[in-house]
Amino acid sequence: MTGLRKLFVKSFGCQMNVYDSQRMADTLAPEGYVETSTGEDADLIILNTCHIREKAAEKVYSELGRMRRLKEAAAADGRKLLIAVAGCVAQAEGEEIVRRAPTVDLVVGSQNYHRLPALVARAQRDGHVVDTEFPLDDKFEHLAAPAAAATRARGVTAFVTVQEGCDKFCTFCVVPYTRGAETSRRVDTIMAEAERLADAGVREITLIGQNVNAYHGAGPDGRPWSLACLLEQLAQIRGLERLRYTTSHPLDMGDDLIAMHRDLPALMPQLHLPVQSGSDRILAAMNRRHTRADYMDVVCRLLEARSDMALTSDFIVGFPGETEEDFAATLRLVGEIGYSGAFSFKYSPRPGTRGAEMGEQVDEATKTDRLHRLQHEIDRNRATFNRRCVGRTFPVLLERPGRHAGQIVGRSPYLQPVQIEAPTSLIGAIAAVTIAEVASNSLFGTLKREPALAGAGA
Ligand code: 5AD
Ligand code: SF4
């Protein structure tokens, strides 16, 4: 092992990038890299990038302008600062990044993080290195596990990637190109990771994947296991109290998975189930492979299994050909479902996707207008959902210190942040909390009774 060096990883975009950033840090730790929270004193900076919309991708280049100045300042101090670009922009743009931003020393695609130590050494020695191949070996088998101390420092909730990539090819989406074909991790490696996390004090795990409910990893019996089977197995791990999974495609919400929401107490009553549009015409143009009625049917079956299920979604406004009538159908769907929250985006044509080639692109002013109207409707939904929680008592996982002294922030079963007056010694416990009031995005609650043991379920 060489002397200690400082690593700053900056994550953009989705939760999978957050997870990947942690794995990159874990993989570089044995090389002597310790994480720092700023680029100022770093020896290696990794930007873990997002390519989903144009704005996200462009952010990387403005960030690289700042990185160039940091690199110059380091050089003036006699230090060598290495700049790496990882993630989906790296995968999609490869060499182009080095051409546009010569300050970049290393471009590493989303499937090659396990090769980081060797790639960093090569970049240090030879200058520019670009590695965006999709190797045949499974990166999950090679990525380092975090040291127990690193896991503890990261808190009482954790993400675990179980599935990556997508075969659905929605016509707006770059994921099948940047993350590749759908692959699932083996059950035993997921179980080992979850057990390690639980041992280090993690109480809640969110399984992540671009199409997580298409999970079909090899089980110990050699057969492909469904997400339902995996969840059932994970629920048996001692100390692991809560499970979630995201992001799901409506087509893959099988009966076995829906039944888990009825039968598995550890599985939280909350689901991110993107619909994207409420218009059948647009859903077809998006190649979503489901209709509005199919989506409503999945929602009904979920609510039959668990009546207090909180649903969230993603929406795209201004997809090519979207008329005012199509958009009105989206607004109506939001009203009918009663979401607890949702993300909404203006359609952004992405290079290489079919949507970008379609005629009838919607103008920017119309997209902006529809986005505002949709967000207003979503905000109303969220406010109604939150208001209904006032006076109710439910188990809250106490996660971290709040903004003010004496406050803790926790999460309700429905994933809402809850602010509570309580000592920080209770972090990691699941406590019965009565909701007293709501603000725009947060609930305020009081401890009904202190948990007898840190971590005791309520
Ligand atoms: N333009 C706008 N939004 C997009 N999303 C994916 N691709 C695009 C695009 N080209 C949104 C979808 C997806 C979320 C992660 O990002 O709503 O569910
Ligand atoms: Fe992209 Fe999700 Fe569609 Fe796959 S299912 S192409 S990840 S939007």
Side-chain angles (χ1 to χ4, degrees), residues 14-26:
C14 66
Q15 290 151 335
M16 188 169 289
N17 271 7
V18 175
Y19 176 86
D20 283 346
S21 292
Q22 291 178 349
R23 289 294 79 73
M24 285 192 247
D26 296 333

Side-chain angles (χ1 to χ4, degrees), residues 166-170 172-176 210-211 249 276 288:
C166 185
D167 296 337
K168 297 270 189 310
F169 290 93
C170 298
F172 51 80
C173 187
V174 286
V175 165
Q210 273 91 23
N211 201 170
H249 191 287
Q276 313 295 357
R288 288 290 293 175

Side-chain angles (χ1 to χ4, degrees), residues 27-46:
T27 299
L28 287 165
E31 307 295 310
Y33 281 98
V34 287
E35 269 196 277
T36 158
S37 56
T38 133
E40 314 293 323
D41 61 346
D43 301 292
L44 168 61
I45 297 180
I46 303 178

Side-chain angles (χ1 to χ4, degrees), residues 52-53 172-173 274 276 314-316 345-350:
I52 197 97
R53 284 168 292 275
F172 51 80
C173 187
Q276 313 295 357
D314 293 337
F315 292 94
I316 295 178
F345 310 100
K346 291 189 222 177
Y347 172 66
S348 165
R350 306 306 290 128

Side-chain angles (χ1 to χ4, degrees), residues 71-316:
K71 195 169 183 167
E72 286 162 0
D77 269 358
R79 282 190 303 119
K80 184 169 168 145
L81 167 60
L82 225 59
I83 310 282
V85 177
C88 294
V89 177
Q91 191 64 53
E93 297 188 6
E95 299 271 355
E96 176 64 19
I97 297 175
V98 184
R99 260 195 298 278
R100 251 181 97 176
T103 193
V104 172
D105 301 286
L106 169 62
V107 176
V108 50
S110 50
Q111 301 306 314
N112 303 320
Y113 301 150
H114 54 297
R115 299 210 285 244
L116 261 176
L119 293 170
V120 168
R122 238 174 73 202
Q124 224 142 20
R125 209 180 47 229
D126 310 338
H128 293 159
V129 172
V130 175
D131 183 0
T132 53
E133 307 222 319
F134 276 101
L136 287 176
D137 50 351
D138 178 357
K139 83 171 174 188
F140 293 117
E141 302 302 315
H142 301 284
L143 276 172
T151 306
R152 264 189 292 278
R154 285 171 189 159
V156 297
T157 63
F159 297 128
V160 172
T161 294
V162 299
Q163 177 280 332
E164 194 172 350
C166 185
D167 296 337
K168 297 270 189 310
F169 290 93
C170 298
T171 54
F172 51 80
C173 187
V174 286
V175 165
Y177 310 99
T178 56
R179 292 277 174 172
E182 213 259 283
T183 53
S184 294
R185 269 178 90 179
R186 284 176 18 207
V187 171
D188 55 356
T189 66
I190 298 168
M191 288 301 292
E193 185 168 337
E195 276 161 12
R196 233 180 4 251
L197 289 166
D199 283 348
V202 166
R203 317 305 313 281
E204 173 181 298
I205 286 181
T206 303
L207 306 181
I208 51 177
Q210 273 91 23
N211 201 170
V212 72
N213 56 343
Y215 177 84
H216 60 272
D221 52 4
R223 296 153 68 124
W225 277 30
S226 66
L227 188 66
C229 292
L230 177 66
L231 286 164
E232 221 172 2
Q233 193 76 7
L234 285 163
Q236 287 171 26
I237 295 177
R238 250 178 86 84
L240 196 56
E241 304 282 342
R242 291 181 159 196
L243 294 168
R244 303 179 188 274
Y245 58 94
T246 195
T247 291
S248 297
H249 191 287
L251 262 191
D252 295 312
M253 283 312 298
D255 285 337
D256 59 343
L257 183 55
I258 291 177
M260 286 299 135
H261 284 281
R262 183 190 60 216
D263 300 336
L264 214 57
L267 189 57
M268 291 295 98
Q270 178 269 330
L271 186 67
H272 187 57
L273 194 65
V275 64
Q276 313 295 357
S277 168
S279 152
D280 280 341
R281 229 172 54 78
I282 297 299
L283 288 172
M286 286 176 165
N287 190 34
R288 288 290 293 175
R289 310 185 208 190
H290 64 79
T291 61
R292 174 195 179 99
D294 295 332
Y295 184 83
M296 292 304 275
D297 178 58
V298 172
V299 169
C300 284
R301 286 189 291 133
L302 276 162
L303 291 172
E304 268 166 33
R306 179 85 204 227
S307 60
D308 63 340
M309 197 80 185
L311 291 162
T312 55
S313 177
D314 293 337
F315 292 94
I316 295 178

